[in-house]
Amino acid sequence: MTVKTTHTLKKGLANLEVFSATLQGLAEADSNIIAVTSDSRGSGKLVPFAAKYPKQIVEVGIAEQNLVGVAAGLASTGKKVFAVSPACFLTARSLEQIKNDIAYSDNPVNVIGISAGVSYGALGSTHHSLHDFAVLRAVNNIMVVAPGDNFETEMAIRQAAALEEPVYLRFGKKPMPFLSDNKDFALGKGREIRGGKEVAIVATGETVWPAMQAAMLLEEEKGIQVGVISMHTIKPLDTALLESIASRYAAIMTVEEHSIYGGLGEACASFLLQSGYQKNFKLMGIPDEYTVTGSQLDILNHYGISEKGIADEVLKLLR
Amino acid sequence: MTTKELQIKSLEYRKKVLQYIKKAKAGHTGGSLSCTDILNVLYNEVMNVSPANFKDPNRDRYIQSKGHSVEALFVVLADQGFYPESNIETLCQYQSHFIGHPTRKVPGVEQNTGALGHGLPISVGTALAGKMDSLDYRVFTLMGDGELLEGSNWEAAMAASHYKLDNLVAILDYNKLQITGAVKDVCNSEPIDQKFEAFGWSVKHVDGNDVEALSKTLKSAPFETGKPSFVIAHTVKGKGISFMENNIKWHHGVPSDEQYADAQKELDSQLVELSKAII
């Protein structure tokens, strides 16, 4: 079967570049900002940071458990620490360190998972991070965030740096589109970036853009009004916004670059069901299998996380 | 403190460790007794930390990586004045902060520990921050020899020497036993000294139940400028109680009424001997 690429991205900065630039700005003003990397400064776009602020970067080598422990130790002395590593390793190899040394011990580290989801595409399932929302949602005392564009990334980094609590931030690799003129951003509060009334698509991270494209396509071709919410913070979930959506829309769909188990979709479903809402509901994500080979876009398209795939599911939901 | 005073302290600490484990009907008896002398010397002779300076950024830090010997830590912290000793009576009881591993909810505890192989990486980060800020505090971490089987320790060992952390002192409570049996039989980790030396540490052996030797060794850290220090403290699991010593049954054994009375009697008689020696 030939996989057709049904959406393309506008050229823009990858959110990792925005992360790096934002962190440099913060480091300029505050010598307590420290990046800790595990041979990941290149993929984390932190080479310019390292060149400019060599005293504010700690390299621990390929040692993710130590990365998180060292970050916790630094944070315990008052440093504002960003622990950077590929999301797949950081949230699996170091899960116990994130749980115990950061979250349980209340050491306010910013845990930065880079090249998340299927960003590493053809490198295969060892390098995919489709479990991170699930495992970290189950860890007490850590926020889970996946920004949907460069604006959200910059705001999330700035706000996380100012927080005195642990935050997990998940970033992909590819250039990010610009989503909205809406300049409201607060960690913990979702952004309704496109209004509608029939179906609300609640998406996160890099899936917000194909959700937007699907919404535009449906309006253009079918006249269906689809709202899009960037639910950048998955935990704590913005339940007030979900309640509002449930009262205004006929159906709700969630989209994420994550296993169908334990991510945004299950978080929304759990809240809605327990709150007594009875809605048409569709959860889109990566099914419970080791993914097909291909680029990130190939993989997302294969599983229908694309303009056309999402639009088709919206139509099914409305039937 | 004189050596005799320190020895008396250790015996008193051991009596209390057993008292609270007996009351809680839970605890890691053998390991708490093996590291009692180390904690005694650290808090009474070596470290610059107290309730008065606990918020001072330049205080020395103690991180107990082998968290399961927390009963010894609770007794020593109470003796230092971090909280009334009576608080330990709630050990392991419903809603108590005095749980079976260190938590920061107990005054004087620096980090939450318990899962093995976590203390050394955290200590590396804490020591690194001291270097960054040109503060002269030291970081002491207590590790178990069974714990050394966790790979995260070796990641941290490399980082510590890479960053020349001579403000870091790791102390191995080398009692040679873990829950299943002898460490050398479970998964032989010898030669530990050569491994740490190869990883760039400066290593010393010491009798970990000899307060005088411990004091001398720990006060001499860093052993070499630019290198982290590793103290292999040879200890006896269940130290001080004849029927507990070197017996893995006492890893987390709780004494019966009779065993408890016998154990306290043994410790009391050692106290009497020591007191006589002072006079």
Side-chain angles (χ1 to χ4, degrees), chain A residues 32 34 55 57-60 62-66 69-70 72-74 76-77 79 96-97 100-101 104-107, chain B residues 61 99 102-104 111-113 115-118 121-122 124-126 128-129 132-133 137 151-152 155-156 159 162-163:
Chain A
N32 272 323
I34 306 289
K55 290 183 177 170
I57 186 161
V58 175
E59 176 63 72
V60 298
I62 307 166
E64 292 80 9
Q65 296 179 72
N66 192 41
V70 167
L74 285 162
S76 75
T77 70
K79 301 289 180 196
E96 200 185 67
Q97 279 76 14
N100 293 341
D101 306 349
Y104 176 48
S105 290
D106 215 11
N107 286 316
Chain B
R61 268 77 163 179
I99 61 172
T103 84
R104 293 167 96 171
Q111 294 292 337
N112 296 359
T113 50
L116 297 175
H118 288 239
I122 299 170
V124 167
T126 310
L128 199 51
M132 286 173 168
D133 294 342
Y137 65 77
S152 49
E155 295 181 1
H162 177 80
Y163 284 103

Side-chain angles (χ1 to χ4, degrees), chain B residues 54-244:
Chain B
F54 197 64
K55 291 195 171 166
D56 181 348
N58 212 22
R59 72 189 181 281
D60 286 339
R61 268 77 163 179
Y62 171 73
I63 294 170
Q64 187 159 310
S65 193
K66 51 166 288 180
H68 48 280
S69 297
V70 73
E71 294 82 9
L73 177 62
F74 287 161
V75 165
V76 172
L77 288 178
D79 186 49
Q80 298 298 305
F82 280 96
Y83 43 80
E85 193 191 304
S86 57
N87 288 10
I88 315 175
E89 287 177 10
T90 64
L91 179 67
C92 291
Q93 289 178 18
Y94 177 59
Q95 292 192 327
S96 173
H97 291 160
F98 291 78
I99 61 172
H101 290 97
T103 84
R104 293 167 96 171
K105 289 185 176 166
V106 172
V109 173
E110 291 280 0
Q111 294 292 337
N112 296 359
T113 50
L116 297 175
H118 288 239
L120 195 56
I122 299 170
S123 300
V124 167
T126 310
L128 199 51
K131 291 284 183 189
M132 286 173 168
D133 294 342
S134 301
L135 295 172
D136 57 8
Y137 65 77
R138 298 161 299 169
V139 182
F140 296 86
T141 187
L142 181 68
M143 306 166 73
D145 46 359
E147 179 184 15
L148 273 188
L149 301 179
E150 292 281 7
S152 49
N153 293 309
W154 302 98
E155 295 181 1
M158 283 186 275
S161 65
H162 177 80
Y163 284 103
K164 300 181 171 42
L165 299 179
D166 55 11
N167 54 348
L168 172 63
V169 183
I171 306 159
L172 184 68
D173 180 10
Y174 188 36
N175 61 35
K176 301 158 194 78
L177 293 175
Q178 58 190 94
I179 193 166
T180 300
V183 178
K184 69 178 171 53
D185 295 331
V186 175
C187 186
N188 190 9
S189 50
E190 296 295 341
I192 294 171
D193 50 4
Q194 289 178 37
K195 284 175 181 161
F196 270 86
E197 277 163 3
F199 275 60
W201 290 57
S202 189
V203 181
K204 280 189 183 180
H205 288 265
V206 65
D207 180 340
N209 294 127
D210 178 338
V211 288
E212 190 176 5
L214 272 171
S215 180
K216 198 174 154 196
T217 303
L218 290 169
K219 281 178 179 170
S220 72
F223 306 147
E224 287 181 65
T225 303
K227 286 187 174 185
S229 304
F230 194 75
V231 179
I232 301 182
H234 293 257
T235 59
V236 173
K237 200 157 183 172
K239 175 69 180 177
I241 319 295
S242 57
F243 58 90
M244 292 182 181

